[in-house]
Amino acid sequence: MKGNFRDLYLIGLCLLLIFSGVTCAGLFTKTPAPEIDPGFCMECHQRVTPGLFQSWVESKHAKKGVHCMTCHIDHQAAFEQKSMVFPDKCGECHPQQLEEFKKSRHSIGWDRMRGQGEYLGIPQEIRTAFCERCHIVQKRCNSCHTSHRFSLKESREPESCGSCHLGPDHPHKEMYETSLHGIIYKLTQNPERAPRCVTCHMPGGTHNSSFGIARGPVGTRSVVVDLKEIPISKEEIARRREEMLGICTGCHSRRFAKEQMDNADQVKEEAFILQEKGKEVIRDIEKEDLLYPSLTERMPHPTEGRTMVLADPQLYIGTSHIERLFFTMFKFHNIRVWKSGYHFSPAYTHGYGWSEMQMDLIEIQEESKKLIELFKEKKK
Amino acid sequence: MKGNFRDLYLIGLCLLLIFSGVTCAGLFTKTPAPEIDPGFCMECHQRVTPGLFQSWVESKHAKKGVHCMTCHIDHQAAFEQKSMVFPDKCGECHPQQLEEFKKSRHSIGWDRMRGQGEYLGIPQEIRTAFCERCHIVQKRCNSCHTSHRFSLKESREPESCGSCHLGPDHPHKEMYETSLHGIIYKLTQNPERAPRCVTCHMPGGTHNSSFGIARGPVGTRSVVVDLKEIPISKEEIARRREEMLGICTGCHSRRFAKEQMDNADQVKEEAFILQEKGKEVIRDIEKEDLLYPSLTERMPHPTEGRTMVLADPQLYIGTSHIERLFFTMFKFHNIRVWKSGYHFSPAYTHGYGWSEMQMDLIEIQEESKKLIELFKEKKK
Amino acid sequence: MKGNFRDLYLIGLCLLLIFSGVTCAGLFTKTPAPEIDPGFCMECHQRVTPGLFQSWVESKHAKKGVHCMTCHIDHQAAFEQKSMVFPDKCGECHPQQLEEFKKSRHSIGWDRMRGQGEYLGIPQEIRTAFCERCHIVQKRCNSCHTSHRFSLKESREPESCGSCHLGPDHPHKEMYETSLHGIIYKLTQNPERAPRCVTCHMPGGTHNSSFGIARGPVGTRSVVVDLKEIPISKEEIARRREEMLGICTGCHSRRFAKEQMDNADQVKEEAFILQEKGKEVIRDIEKEDLLYPSLTERMPHPTEGRTMVLADPQLYIGTSHIERLFFTMFKFHNIRVWKSGYHFSPAYTHGYGWSEMQMDLIEIQEESKKLIELFKEKKK
């Protein structure tokens, strides 16, 4: 009975549309949102994209009357924007979150990517399939808040962060999962037993995910900069370290937490010293003009020009083999050592980090010796 | 009390067996299944293999009266076949599943393995511990439907597929788990929120897992073949792509889904072009006779003979170092780039794929230069 | 009201403390535990380390009246020992577990580490962040029984073991997770369906985790030693194998289980033979004095002195490149082959093991050829 009634309703709706002169084509003319009945979207999308529809039905948005047009404006706008909804739109209802988000590095993700040598050096297809999928976080709140369910519970789980923060050059997900923090959380699913990513990096739900990050002069030698590339002061760094220690002391004694942080600072310094040894060997080789291809034989660096770039923003394309060995050393292994120092993953600090760096150095030294033996006489 | 009663019962049963002339040895004579009371198997196996017994007790089989002898025939047959039950046996009750299975590549897994150079080149122990554990899918429905519980729910989870589809040369499991699809499914455990392997590859429960797979001329240059090694037509490939898009549009717009697929096609083509650059360098080295060991110094390829094989069915045993570098490039890294293009894992497309391929190429070029410098003069 | 009452209580307690001459400093004087009211700890720690406090509240310890002072003795002792509680303390209530633990290799983890060349060769910061985090198992029952909840359920999950047993050189966690055992357990979370680590290695809850480990002369050539470094007899090894088979037969037939074990023994032997081929190449290079740096140019091995060490206790620091290639072969790849033989992970036996070993051998042979070509004439 209910089904039959519904069918009649649908037929009636169609007749109404036809006789009122509204055709499907008409939908693509720019009509202000409020004049379109939200129920209208449902009629089609319930059938053509049922998964998407069902996610929305179960969302808090649906319960509060936030419907398709609230975010997508109208069918024409949605079509033109490929259904994207930008943070400013979300901020109309969630102003505090937008404001906090704009203080985080997430909010400059896309712009920073567009200026990076690595991005500039690869085909557009790979950019689309790789870089842009994550860096679009600047333009999409649904990078973390999966559409159209927008579940708070889901977005707070480590898996959400891990959709981008993983892989050879920033294995935050892997480091967390192999730390006691991650293991206890996996066992208990209880954020009061062990921290999740958001516990330390977005405490109290702040959308400024740069909270408490105090990388920098304390044992590092790399300068921490703010969103405008201005170096952050020692005082600010010290303040952020205190912020983070304030989180640790929820479970640990301040003494213990500070010891762990201090040790991580020193781990970072040790790894930096080791990395620099690799750099020195390669600089000597470059002075002897033994790089193949040489700096003049290769494409110039997209942002740095015709110079040898070791460590950021070094590329992995078209360089010499000895530089490529250093790329692995600094980009994959050094980063694992020090980042897992702060994330407490012994396997990544040493097994996937420190020991690999030592082996990289052996390889770099061997390559240097071979290059000298093979080509130095010739150059003379 | 209950235990004592049970002991008496067992003693009684033994006496009965002894006095009726049935000894344990007698069990191994070929007796037709129906004449043996299924309860008879239980008496022993409940004790000697309790885990296995308990799994069966909880199965739908047990509830429907499908017992040991239904599948294993009798004790003698089970002993001779090492307890294996072949798909044709399962097909007696599940004919549609068997028919669909026989259309899938799963159904030729064992036979294809037996003719592969890689299989032929390794010791039997490694074959047993590796190749055969997965390729036996041709002969065992319980590769996916774990015995003796045969839970449909379990077999549909990504973990089931991931028991074979993982590892350096076909990390489907890893690519899925690092895609938004896999992450949302992990978070929600709800197949209506995000697809599992079976959603796209076995829709509607079909056991033809080749559904919708349209790899081939569209941006690939490798020919897709059917089970009899006959190339599949462009029309058939286009039809399969449409099949797959029909799945995507459950949640995504057709435009979005098609864009993603087209981009993956292009990613595949880009990776192929890059791979070919590596091949060219090695072909030049081979022309100069600088492979060590040379083609005449080494064991011939088990299926291709005394020729240099680059890409499938290339081996990783006993080749020159420069060929081994290419093995890694094509077998691990290229496959990750393009397969994760279709599985939407940015980390595998780039971090474990494209950037590794670029570094492989640098290594291959460097090795080529060294080989020429070291050995070319000598050869003259 | 309740809050106000509590405040009054706290003020009252403070006044009481002040007027009774007990100041905060006084707490650090060594006072015997029983004289301090356990409630006293709670007053502060409920606020300053709420996560820790909450874990204890939910523990069986709390329910049974085991409180802070029961384990930490007093505030001064806790401060001096950095809150550590040693196994002998736990053994006061859990004597059987302590006794069993002392038979396991876990109980010599710290001492063995302190004598290892690898440990001696790295900076203290890395030791702290890596080695010591796991090897401290000798001194901390809460390595597995996470404090302060001490949940038996949690400690029995594979994740607990996996906090240390993971990573490139002992990927037990990864091998288990990619075996059918691990996959079925992950799917079902039911230890009656598939074994967890403790099912086979700590059956019946024994804390002697060396149960059933029968590595040794059966197809291995490496001698199994007991805790005092005394070789274990063949008879004892055979007995342990039987112990382990006794676990397997809970689900599998003895014939099947024995076949699997025998095959793993053979896999181990095959991998050993392959590894020795790599060793031979390097020994020849060393005889020709072609190692760079040579044994006299480098730091002596911390425990073995000025000698070339191939396989345990070989280091990855400051050796020649050809030795470093062998390090990867024996330490990462060989171990994966044979250990996953016994853990039934095809991906690790072959993909991350056997095929990598074969490629290591190619690289070692190539390096040898280059070293001879480049430096042999010169040496003459």
Side-chain angles (χ1 to χ4, degrees):
Chain A
M1 275 297 271
K2 210 173 174 184
N4 286 347
F5 207 74
R6 182 171 192 86
D7 287 352
L8 280 172
Y9 170 76
L10 285 173
I11 293 166
L13 188 78
C14 289
L15 289 171
L16 190 72
L17 285 170
I18 291 164
F19 284 108
S20 64
V22 180
T23 65
C24 250
L27 295 174
F28 291 91
T29 59
K30 211 149 189 169
T31 320
E35 296 181 18
I36 297 187
D37 171 15
F40 190 78
C41 310
M42 315 301 163
E43 282 308 330
C44 282
H45 279 284
Q46 197 163 354
R47 279 178 296 108
V48 297
T49 55
L52 183 158
F53 174 79
Q54 189 57 31
S55 291
W56 173 78
V57 165
E58 291 164 8
S59 73
K60 205 170 165 185
H61 275 170
K63 287 175 190 78
K64 297 243 178 175
V66 177
H67 56 73
C68 314
M69 296 312 181
T70 321
C71 309
H72 291 292
I73 303 169
D74 59 35
H75 211 266
Q76 172 73 359
F79 186 82
E80 282 169 6
Q81 290 186 4
K82 298 193 171 187
S83 303
M84 279 188 68
V85 174
F86 299 98
D88 283 341
K89 188 77 199 166
C90 305
E92 290 176 11
C93 296
H94 306 282
Q96 189 194 332
Q97 284 76 8
L98 179 65
E99 198 187 329
E100 290 164 351
F101 169 75
K102 286 192 169 169
K103 287 180 194 156
S104 79
R105 297 193 77 80
H106 279 160
S107 73
I108 55 168
W110 185 267
D111 295 341
R112 294 268 303 169
M113 171 195 76
R114 304 264 305 172
Q116 276 191 326
E118 209 172 320
Y119 178 81
L120 296 168
I122 61 178
Q124 182 55 47
E125 295 79 36
I126 307 291
R127 293 175 182 172
T128 305
F130 170 58
C131 322
E132 297 181 0
R133 272 194 212 278
C134 285
H135 281 268
I136 204 156
V137 67
Q138 177 179 337
K139 300 185 180 184
R140 286 181 51 164
C141 296
N142 59 335
S143 290
C144 309
H145 299 279
T146 48
S147 49
H148 286 82
R149 180 64 182 80
F150 300 105
S151 153
L152 264 182
K153 191 178 167 297
E154 290 170 25
S155 64
R156 286 169 178 159
E157 294 295 338
E159 279 76 17
S160 293
C161 311
S163 73
C164 290
H165 290 267
L166 85 172
D169 55 344
H170 40 45
H172 301 104
K173 173 192 156 92
E174 295 89 335
M175 295 183 298
Y176 171 75
E177 286 178 352
T178 53
S179 74
L180 266 181
H181 286 162
I183 288 164
I184 296 175
Y185 183 67
K186 195 180 170 197
L187 281 170
T188 61
Q189 297 292 307
N190 178 356
E192 292 186 0
R193 279 294 305 286
R196 300 181 286 192
C197 312
V198 295
T199 311
C200 304
H201 295 294
M202 298 176 77
T206 177
H207 278 56
N208 176 6
S209 51
S210 302
F211 171 92
I213 292 180
R215 298 175 288 126
V218 185
T220 81
R221 297 187 183 163
S222 77
V223 180
V224 184
V225 292
D226 69 11
L227 300 194
K228 287 167 186 162
E229 302 291 315
I230 298 165
I232 289 170
S233 70
K234 280 192 179 184
E235 290 70 29
E236 171 62 11
I237 286 168
R239 196 190 60 75
R240 291 194 189 175
R241 171 60 54 91
E242 281 305 315
E243 272 184 349
M244 189 56 84
L245 286 173
I247 305 292
C248 307
T249 51
C251 289
H252 302 290
S253 75
R254 194 187 143 80
R255 178 177 65 167
F256 177 81
K258 200 164 172 326
E259 268 180 21
Q260 302 299 315
M261 286 297 190
D262 289 350
N263 191 68
D265 290 342
Q266 288 161 20
V267 163
K268 191 172 182 189
E269 178 67 14
E270 286 288 346
F272 182 79
I273 292 168
L274 190 52
Q275 174 187 297
E276 293 306 288
K277 284 186 190 167
K279 236 184 222 175
E280 272 169 52
V281 177
I282 301 172
R283 281 198 189 119
D284 288 347
I285 285 295
E286 196 266 336
K287 274 181 208 149
E288 303 272 3
D289 196 18
L290 295 174
L291 296 181
Y292 163 74
S294 73
L295 295 175
T296 51
E297 287 164 347
R298 69 177 82 162
M299 290 284 291
H301 189 286
T303 59
E304 309 303 302
R306 214 168 273 292
T307 183
M308 182 172 73
V309 181
L310 294 178
D312 265 330
Q314 186 181 346
L315 297 189
Y316 54 76
I317 300 180
T319 72
S320 71
H321 185 236
I322 201 166
E323 287 165 89
R324 168 251 179 277
L325 290 173
F326 183 78
F327 182 85
T328 309
M329 187 186 198
F330 101 87
K331 184 83 171 184
F332 300 158
H333 304 146
N334 184 19
I335 276 174
R336 289 178 205 174
V337 173
W338 74 262
K339 288 210 171 184
S340 62
Y342 295 105
H343 289 91
F344 316 111
S345 164
Y348 274 82
T349 304
H350 182 266
Y352 296 112
W354 181 262
S355 65
E356 289 292 335
M357 283 187 79
Q358 291 282 1
M359 293 195 281
D360 292 333
L361 184 62
I362 289 173
E363 232 174 320
I364 287 170
Q365 286 166 335
E366 177 68 30
E367 178 75 359
S368 154
K369 191 164 168 74
K370 286 209 189 84
L371 289 173
I372 290 166
E373 188 65 29
L374 269 168
F375 302 109
K376 196 167 172 183
E377 282 304 303
K378 226 176 187 176
K379 290 268 175 187
K380 279 175 186 168
Chain B
M1 276 294 273
K2 210 172 173 184
N4 286 348
F5 206 73
R6 184 174 188 83
D7 288 353
L8 279 172
Y9 169 77
L10 285 172
I11 293 164
L13 188 78
C14 288
L15 288 171
L16 190 73
L17 285 168
I18 292 162
F19 284 107
S20 63
V22 181
T23 65
C24 251
L27 294 174
F28 292 90
T29 59
K30 210 154 191 169
T31 320
E35 295 181 16
I36 296 187
D37 172 15
F40 188 78
C41 311
M42 314 302 164
E43 281 308 330
C44 283
H45 280 283
Q46 199 163 353
R47 280 178 297 107
V48 296
T49 55
L52 183 158
F53 174 80
Q54 189 58 30
S55 291
W56 173 79
V57 165
E58 292 164 8
S59 74
K60 205 169 164 186
H61 276 169
K63 288 174 189 80
K64 297 243 177 175
V66 178
H67 56 72
C68 315
M69 297 311 181
T70 321
C71 309
H72 291 294
I73 303 169
D74 60 35
H75 211 267
Q76 172 73 0
F79 185 83
E80 282 169 5
Q81 291 185 3
K82 298 192 170 187
S83 302
M84 278 187 69
V85 175
F86 299 99
D88 284 341
K89 188 76 198 165
C90 305
E92 289 176 11
C93 295
H94 306 281
Q96 189 194 331
Q97 284 76 7
L98 179 65
E99 200 185 329
E100 290 164 352
F101 169 76
K102 286 194 168 168
K103 288 181 192 155
S104 79
R105 297 193 76 80
H106 279 160
S107 73
I108 55 167
W110 185 266
D111 295 340
R112 294 268 303 168
M113 171 195 75
R114 304 265 305 171
Q116 277 191 326
E118 209 172 319
Y119 178 81
L120 296 168
I122 59 179
Q124 183 55 46
E125 295 79 35
I126 308 289
R127 292 176 183 171
T128 304
F130 170 57
C131 322
E132 297 180 0
R133 273 194 211 277
C134 285
H135 282 267
I136 204 157
V137 66
Q138 177 180 336
K139 300 186 179 183
R140 287 181 49 163
C141 295
N142 59 336
S143 290
C144 310
H145 299 279
T146 48
S147 49
H148 286 82
R149 178 64 181 80
F150 301 105
S151 154
L152 264 182
K153 192 178 167 299
E154 289 170 25
S155 64
R156 286 169 178 159
E157 294 294 338
E159 278 76 18
S160 294
C161 311
S163 74
C164 290
H165 290 267
L166 85 171
D169 55 344
H170 41 45
H172 299 106
K173 172 191 156 93
E174 294 90 335
M175 295 185 297
Y176 171 75
E177 287 178 353
T178 53
S179 74
L180 267 181
H181 286 163
I183 288 163
I184 297 175
Y185 183 67
K186 194 179 173 200
L187 281 169
T188 61
Q189 297 292 307
N190 178 356
E192 292 186 0
R193 278 295 305 286
R196 301 181 286 194
C197 312
V198 295
T199 311
C200 304
H201 295 294
M202 298 177 78
T206 178
H207 278 56
N208 176 6
S209 51
S210 302
F211 170 92
I213 291 180
R215 297 177 290 126
V218 186
T220 82
R221 296 187 185 163
S222 78
V223 181
V224 184
V225 293
D226 70 11
L227 299 194
K228 286 166 186 163
E229 302 291 315
I230 298 165
I232 289 171
S233 70
K234 280 190 180 184
E235 291 70 30
E236 171 61 10
I237 286 167
R239 196 190 61 73
R240 290 193 189 176
R241 171 61 54 92
E242 281 306 314
E243 273 183 349
M244 189 56 85
L245 287 173
I247 305 293
C248 307
T249 51
C251 289
H252 301 290
S253 75
R254 193 186 143 79
R255 178 176 65 165
F256 176 82
K258 201 164 171 328
E259 268 180 19
Q260 302 299 315
M261 285 297 190
D262 289 349
N263 191 68
D265 290 342
Q266 287 162 20
V267 163
K268 190 172 182 190
E269 178 68 13
E270 286 288 344
F272 183 79
I273 291 168
L274 189 52
Q275 174 187 297
E276 293 306 288
K277 284 186 189 168
K279 235 184 223 175
E280 271 170 53
V281 176
I282 301 172
R283 281 199 188 118
D284 288 347
I285 285 296
E286 196 266 336
K287 275 180 206 151
E288 303 271 5
D289 196 19
L290 296 173
L291 297 180
Y292 163 74
S294 73
L295 295 176
T296 51
E297 288 164 348
R298 70 176 82 163
M299 289 285 290
H301 188 286
T303 59
E304 310 302 302
R306 215 167 272 291
T307 183
M308 181 173 72
V309 181
L310 294 178
D312 265 329
Q314 187 182 344
L315 298 189
Y316 54 75
I317 301 178
T319 72
S320 71
H321 185 236
I322 200 166
E323 288 165 89
R324 168 252 178 279
L325 290 173
F326 183 78
F327 182 86
T328 309
M329 187 186 198
F330 102 87
K331 185 82 171 185
F332 300 158
H333 303 146
N334 184 18
I335 276 174
R336 288 177 205 176
V337 173
W338 73 262
K339 288 211 171 183
S340 63
Y342 295 106
H343 289 93
F344 316 111
S345 164
Y348 274 82
T349 304
H350 182 265
Y352 296 112
W354 181 261
S355 65
E356 289 292 335
M357 284 186 78
Q358 291 282 2
M359 293 195 281
D360 292 334
L361 184 61
I362 289 173
E363 232 175 319
I364 288 170
Q365 286 166 335
E366 177 70 29
E367 177 75 0
S368 154
K369 192 165 169 72
K370 286 209 190 85
L371 289 172
I372 289 167
E373 190 65 30
L374 269 168
F375 302 109
K376 196 167 172 182
E377 280 305 303
K378 224 177 190 176
K379 289 272 176 185
K380 278 175 187 168
Chain C
M1 275 297 271
K2 208 174 174 184
N4 286 347
F5 205 75
R6 184 174 189 84
D7 286 353
L8 279 172
Y9 168 77
L10 284 172
I11 293 166
L13 188 77
C14 288
L15 289 171
L16 189 72
L17 285 169
I18 291 164
F19 285 107
S20 65
V22 179
T23 65
C24 251
L27 295 174
F28 293 90
T29 58
K30 212 152 189 170
T31 320
E35 296 181 16
I36 296 188
D37 171 15
F40 189 79
C41 311
M42 314 301 162
E43 282 308 329
C44 283
H45 279 283
Q46 197 162 353
R47 280 179 295 108
V48 297
T49 55
L52 184 157
F53 174 78
Q54 189 57 30
S55 291
W56 172 79
V57 165
E58 292 164 8
S59 73
K60 207 170 162 184
H61 275 169
K63 287 175 191 79
K64 297 244 178 174
V66 177
H67 56 74
C68 315
M69 298 312 183
T70 320
C71 310
H72 291 293
I73 303 169
D74 59 36
H75 211 267
Q76 172 74 359
F79 185 83
E80 281 169 5
Q81 291 185 5
K82 298 193 171 188
S83 303
M84 279 188 69
V85 174
F86 298 99
D88 283 341
K89 188 76 198 164
C90 306
E92 289 177 11
C93 295
H94 307 280
Q96 189 194 331
Q97 284 76 7
L98 179 66
E99 198 187 329
E100 290 164 351
F101 168 75
K102 286 194 167 167
K103 287 180 192 155
S104 78
R105 297 193 77 81
H106 279 159
S107 74
I108 54 168
W110 186 267
D111 295 340
R112 294 269 301 168
M113 172 195 75
R114 304 265 305 173
Q116 276 191 326
E118 209 172 320
Y119 177 82
L120 296 168
I122 61 179
Q124 182 56 45
E125 294 80 33
I126 308 289
R127 293 176 182 171
T128 304
F130 171 58
C131 322
E132 297 180 1
R133 273 194 211 279
C134 286
H135 281 267
I136 203 156
V137 66
Q138 176 180 338
K139 301 185 179 184
R140 286 181 50 163
C141 295
N142 59 335
S143 290
C144 310
H145 299 279
T146 47
S147 48
H148 286 82
R149 179 65 182 78
F150 301 105
S151 154
L152 263 182
K153 192 179 167 298
E154 290 170 25
S155 65
R156 285 169 178 161
E157 294 295 338
E159 279 75 17
S160 293
C161 312
S163 73
C164 290
H165 290 267
L166 86 171
D169 55 344
H170 40 46
H172 300 106
K173 171 192 157 92
E174 295 91 333
M175 296 185 297
Y176 172 74
E177 286 179 353
T178 54
S179 75
L180 267 181
H181 286 162
I183 289 163
I184 297 175
Y185 183 66
K186 193 179 171 198
L187 281 170
T188 61
Q189 297 292 307
N190 178 356
E192 292 187 358
R193 279 296 304 285
R196 300 182 285 192
C197 312
V198 294
T199 311
C200 304
H201 295 295
M202 298 176 79
T206 178
H207 278 55
N208 177 5
S209 51
S210 303
F211 170 91
I213 291 179
R215 297 177 289 125
V218 185
T220 82
R221 297 186 183 165
S222 76
V223 180
V224 184
V225 292
D226 69 11
L227 300 194
K228 287 167 185 161
E229 302 291 315
I230 298 164
I232 289 169
S233 70
K234 280 191 180 184
E235 291 70 28
E236 170 62 10
I237 286 168
R239 197 191 60 75
R240 291 194 188 176
R241 172 61 52 93
E242 281 305 314
E243 272 184 348
M244 188 55 85
L245 286 172
I247 304 292
C248 308
T249 52
C251 289
H252 301 290
S253 75
R254 193 187 143 80
R255 178 177 64 166
F256 177 82
K258 199 163 173 329
E259 269 179 19
Q260 301 300 314
M261 286 297 191
D262 289 349
N263 191 67
D265 289 342
Q266 288 160 20
V267 163
K268 191 173 180 189
E269 178 68 13
E270 287 287 345
F272 183 79
I273 292 169
L274 190 52
Q275 174 187 298
E276 294 306 290
K277 285 186 189 169
K279 237 183 220 173
E280 272 169 52
V281 177
I282 301 172
R283 282 199 188 119
D284 288 347
I285 285 295
E286 197 265 335
K287 273 181 208 150
E288 303 274 3
D289 195 18
L290 295 174
L291 296 180
Y292 164 75
S294 72
L295 296 176
T296 50
E297 288 163 346
R298 68 175 84 162
M299 291 284 291
H301 188 286
T303 59
E304 309 303 302
R306 214 168 274 291
T307 182
M308 181 172 72
V309 181
L310 294 177
D312 265 330
Q314 187 181 344
L315 298 189
Y316 55 76
I317 300 179
T319 72
S320 71
H321 185 236
I322 201 166
E323 287 164 90
R324 168 250 178 277
L325 290 174
F326 183 79
F327 182 84
T328 309
M329 188 186 197
F330 102 87
K331 184 83 171 182
F332 300 158
H333 302 146
N334 184 20
I335 276 174
R336 289 178 204 174
V337 173
W338 74 262
K339 288 211 172 183
S340 63
Y342 294 106
H343 289 93
F344 317 111
S345 163
Y348 274 81
T349 305
H350 182 265
Y352 296 112
W354 181 261
S355 64
E356 290 292 335
M357 284 186 78
Q358 291 282 0
M359 294 194 282
D360 292 334
L361 185 61
I362 289 173
E363 233 175 319
I364 288 169
Q365 286 166 336
E366 176 70 29
E367 178 75 0
S368 153
K369 191 164 168 74
K370 286 207 189 87
L371 290 172
I372 291 167
E373 190 64 29
L374 270 168
F375 302 108
K376 196 169 172 181
E377 280 305 304
K378 227 177 188 176
K379 291 269 176 187
K380 279 176 189 169

